[in-house]
Amino acid sequence: MDDLPLQKIQISGPTLASMIERFYTALGDVDGLLFGHVSQIAPSSLSDDDPLGSSSDSSSFVATVSGFLCSGTINSFYDSAGRIDFLALRRLLADRVPPRSLIGWFSGRRRSPLRPSLREFSVTACLSTKAQFSFPIENSLSNFRPSLFLLFASPLSDQAIHTHEYKSYQYHPSSQSFEPKSIDIVNIGPAFRGHYGSFSPSSPFPSMACDLRASPMAEDDNDATQVAKAHDQRQLDTCAEGVLIGSLSRLMGSEATNYTAGLEDLYEKMLSKLDSLARLVEKTSAKVHEQESRNMKLRYKVAGYD
């Protein structure tokens, strides 16, 4: 079996934040599965520090966590001794649509030190020995078996500021040991521009006719013009409520320099609209979490834990 050491583990900021949020809002300790892929990165043949331009022939392997499945409890696919229940594990994997490669698992423990337990060590070791979960490594002829473990922990004592620590490990069957691995959080910024190369920004601001100034040839608006104005006003209200459609014409051409205050008012109305949408999403999210908590209590009650 290949025992390929990883250089690092990559995970996006939103994915990591979502995992911490699920751990924080759970009723107790949790565990779950990690999904993603492993890539082989060829070393650069040129180096500014090496005048001879030499480099190592060994390639590096990087694991990327692209998704996770939180069970909401512990011992979801293993027993107290760390033995895996493959029927329960297959049921969890069957819920993934589309199916993804299993690269490891995670555990979240409250008020405990940030170090793996013997049970967590046993679960990871058992996962890494199962050939049915292996998958090919990108840009390589080798396969990778799920050997990653991500541990979350909260402080041993209550604190005014909520802090959550995390640490990642890779299990090596050859040495039967855990090796700590660094986590590279992929965020938006110049250093991660390659991850968002296909991103195409688009503005929600509607396309409308802004040249609505009065004309000496048509002092009285006909019905069609009134309907068009009303339609454009409704579109504008979806982005910046309270801004009149007629004022947009003043923001164009040579007169725009005299109406900077109007432009600032337009942006302020747009930000106000976004703020109201953000508050609505926050309230909706709170209701969803409240419903999830009720469902969890009902599952505990049905299972006989309550």
Side-chain angles (χ1 to χ4, degrees):
M1 180 183 63
D2 295 334
D3 188 6
L4 303 175
L6 297 174
Q7 180 186 13
K8 60 182 178 180
I9 300 173
Q10 288 184 340
I11 184 173
S12 67
T15 301
L16 180 61
S18 180
M19 295 178 67
I20 295 177
E21 189 271 340
R22 293 300 301 268
F23 169 47
Y24 174 71
T25 57
L27 298 179
D29 297 343
V30 297
D31 61 27
L33 304 176
L34 298 176
F35 302 94
H37 60 272
V38 178
S39 305
Q40 182 180 18
I41 301 178
S44 176
S45 59
L46 298 177
S47 175
D48 294 337
D49 299 330
D50 189 356
L52 299 179
S54 61
S55 63
S56 175
D57 294 334
S58 60
S59 300
S60 58
F61 297 91
V62 177
T64 301
V65 179
S66 58
F68 70 96
L69 174 63
C70 182
S71 64
T73 182
I74 58 174
N75 299 353
S76 60
F77 61 95
Y78 54 90
D79 59 17
S80 58
R83 294 184 293 264
I84 292 181
D85 183 354
F86 288 98
L87 291 179
L89 180 57
R90 289 191 180 96
R91 284 195 297 268
L92 292 176
L93 294 176
D95 295 336
R96 305 304 298 172
V97 179
R100 300 181 183 178
S101 299
L102 177 66
I103 63 174
W105 72 295
F106 70 92
S107 176
R109 295 190 262 108
R110 299 178 183 272
R111 298 185 179 183
S112 63
L114 191 66
R115 59 173 177 265
S117 64
L118 292 177
R119 179 172 57 189
E120 293 164 345
F121 181 88
S122 177
V123 172
T124 312
C126 187
L127 274 178
S128 64
T129 59
K130 303 304 177 182
Q132 62 265 38
F133 298 125
S134 64
F135 58 92
I137 298 176
E138 296 180 2
N139 304 323
S140 175
L141 299 178
S142 303
N143 291 335
F144 185 83
R145 298 186 182 182
S147 58
L148 301 186
F149 174 63
L150 184 57
L151 176 62
F152 296 91
S154 61
L156 297 175
S157 58
D158 293 332
Q159 298 181 358
I161 300 177
H162 295 287
T163 59
H164 295 85
E165 299 176 313
Y166 56 88
K167 198 169 185 179
S168 61
Y169 300 87
Q170 181 186 11
Y171 176 79
H172 293 289
S174 59
S175 59
Q176 296 184 352
S177 62
F178 266 149
E179 180 185 3
K181 292 295 179 180
S182 61
I183 299 181
D184 185 10
I185 302 177
V186 181
N187 290 318
I188 297 178
F192 304 97
R193 189 168 297 164
H195 295 276
Y196 302 92
S198 61
F199 175 72
S200 178
S202 60
S203 173
F205 200 85
S207 175
M208 60 187 69
C210 297
D211 191 11
L212 300 175
R213 287 171 289 190
S215 173
M217 299 296 295
E219 295 181 357
D220 297 330
D221 293 335
N222 53 29
D223 294 340
T225 304
Q226 291 290 352
V227 172
K229 283 185 177 181
H231 177 265
D232 289 343
Q233 185 63 57
R234 287 193 298 269
Q235 284 189 308
L236 182 59
D237 288 339
T238 60
C239 298
E241 190 172 357
V243 178
L244 297 178
I245 187 67
S247 63
L248 295 181
S249 61
R250 302 174 182 176
L251 304 178
M252 303 173 61
S254 59
E255 300 180 5
T257 56
N258 299 325
Y259 293 96
T260 55
L263 185 61
E264 292 176 355
D265 181 65
L266 174 62
Y267 287 156
E268 183 178 353
K269 296 293 185 181
M270 294 177 68
L271 291 176
S272 177
K273 189 72 173 182
L274 291 176
D275 182 67
S276 63
L277 290 176
R279 293 181 183 274
L280 179 61
V281 171
E282 183 179 357
K283 293 180 181 179
T284 305
S285 180
K287 292 181 181 179
V288 171
H289 291 317
E290 183 179 353
Q291 185 62 41
E292 288 182 348
S293 299
R294 292 198 190 100
N295 295 340
M296 187 64 67
K297 292 180 180 178
L298 289 175
R299 284 196 291 267
Y300 282 158
K301 187 174 182 180
V302 172
Y305 293 112
D306 191 4

